Amino acid sequence: MLSVKQFYPAYSESVISRLEELQNLIRSTANEQRKDLIEESKWGQLSISCKNSTPIRIDKFSDSEIALFVHCQTNLIEKWRALFSTQLNFSGNRAILLSLDSPLPEKQLKMCIDMALNYHSH
């Protein structure tokens, strides 16, 4: 398992803390499904995936946001936008944006993470 702090050593403590919170949510969602995760670097970002999933990447997006990224050629953001357009913020067809100043919307994120972890299993 990769450490957010070691992967992104130049980030502020507030960004690292929020990324760790998101990483832990991904890990716990995978554990509930009994999925073995692979954590590695993809496109310079911390990538988390498992068999039959699309990679989930987590990174800083701006000074006030982090993001959960998925491959832009999936239809996941489109589906998530239809489900959570009033509850989540998005960047194009590739990311969910999460404020550093607000609690993570765990219920919605767990559903999104579940869909990403099972993307290729249908």
Side-chain angles (χ1 to χ4, degrees):
M1 297 293 176
L2 294 175
S3 159
V4 169
K5 192 169 193 146
Q6 290 174 337
F7 196 86
Y8 297 120
Y11 287 0
S12 70
E13 282 301 317
S14 60
V15 170
I16 288 171
S17 176
R18 185 47 58 101
L19 285 170
E20 287 173 337
E21 191 178 349
L22 183 55
Q23 181 185 40
N24 288 334
L25 185 63
I26 295 166
R27 287 174 175 172
S28 68
T29 303
N31 285 339
E32 289 170 10
Q33 299 177 18
R34 302 195 189 315
K35 298 214 180 249
D36 295 323
L37 290 180
I38 301 163
E39 294 185 10
E40 59 191 340
S41 176
K42 282 197 178 183
W43 300 290
Q45 296 172 319
L46 179 56
S47 175
I48 305 167
S49 62
C50 63
K51 183 178 177 185
N52 296 323
S53 78
T54 191
I56 299 169
R57 298 179 328 277
I58 61 174
D59 200 352
K60 177 179 167 181
F61 189 80
S62 68
D63 288 340
S64 61
E65 295 172 308
I66 63 165
L68 181 153
F69 295 92
V70 291
H71 195 286
C72 63
Q73 293 182 349
T74 69
N75 62 357
L76 288 170
I77 297 293
E78 179 183 334
K79 288 180 178 183
W80 299 342
R81 191 176 270 123
L83 290 169
F84 304 118
S85 63
T86 61
Q87 298 153 314
L88 297 174
N89 295 317
F90 300 92
S91 175
N93 62 348
R94 66 187 191 111
I96 297 173
L97 304 181
L98 303 159
S99 172
L100 294 178
D101 299 325
S102 303
L104 288 181
E106 289 189 19
K107 180 180 176 185
Q108 294 84 358
L109 286 174
K110 281 183 71 106
M111 289 179 65
C112 295
I113 292 164
D114 177 72
M115 292 171 75
L117 292 176
N118 292 290
Y119 187 71
H120 294 293
S121 62
H122 302 290

